[in-house]
Amino acid sequence: MIKGQCLCGKVQYIYHGDLEKSILCYCKHCQLAQGGFAAWNSPIPLENFELISGEDVLKSYFHTELKARVFCGECGSPLYSHRLDLPGVIRLRLGSVVEGKIPPPYEEFFQEYKPNFIETIHS
Ligand SMILES: [Zn+2]
Ligand SMILES: [Zn+2]
């Protein structure tokens, strides 16, 4: 089981399951959205994701037509993304996890945007 939240704590969630994999995405959209060098994500089935609180403050931003980036409207923490053409799956932002085990990234996307001070995970 995984527990997570946003920075201000208004949004709280539980994922009823284990995270099977995590990925790093260095694409420019993720960098802009996270304010960091990568997004650290894990795809999970929506049916096992339970929002405990904060539904009223959650906001969705569509930078592209099909992909929503969901964040806390109070503190701005990125929480997950989802695609309209891929219902049933959300991509959890793993920096929001406060309890539970996160597997190390098995894949890195858009390495052309990866800062050269970050070591490659799979060499
Ligand atoms: Zn918040
Ligand atoms: Zn990305």
Side-chain angles (χ1 to χ4, degrees):
M1 190 181 77
I2 298 288
K3 284 186 183 176
Q5 64 171 75
C6 63
L7 180 60
C8 77
K10 290 216 164 87
V11 180
Q12 307 264 351
Y13 66 81
I14 290 177
Y15 170 55
H16 299 278
D18 293 320
L19 297 175
E20 280 162 23
K21 56 187 181 182
S22 76
I23 64 111
L24 289 170
C25 184
Y26 300 101
C27 87
K28 199 59 209 170
H29 288 172
C30 283
Q31 289 183 344
L32 288 168
Q34 315 299 309
F37 57 76
W40 189 23
N41 304 335
S42 184
I44 58 170
L46 178 61
E47 59 179 7
N48 293 340
F49 179 81
E50 183 187 354
L51 198 60
I52 303 297
S53 66
E55 194 163 8
D56 52 325
V57 294
L58 274 187
K59 291 202 165 152
S60 294
Y61 171 68
F62 285 82
H63 185 65
T64 53
E65 204 177 317
L66 292 174
K67 183 175 178 177
R69 293 173 181 271
V70 182
F71 61 97
C72 173
E74 290 288 326
C75 69
S77 290
L79 292 158
Y80 59 88
S81 65
H82 65 91
R83 295 187 58 94
L84 297 183
D85 55 346
L86 249 179
V89 177
I90 63 173
R91 289 174 187 277
L92 199 60
R93 296 297 182 263
L94 296 177
S96 68
V97 171
V98 294
E99 209 180 302
K101 209 164 170 286
I102 305 178
Y106 83 109
E107 204 168 342
E108 299 171 282
F109 295 128
F110 294 95
Q111 294 198 42
E112 62 268 35
Y113 297 102
K114 178 178 171 177
N116 58 15
F117 58 80
I118 305 293
E119 283 189 31
T120 301
I121 293 165
H122 303 283
S123 49

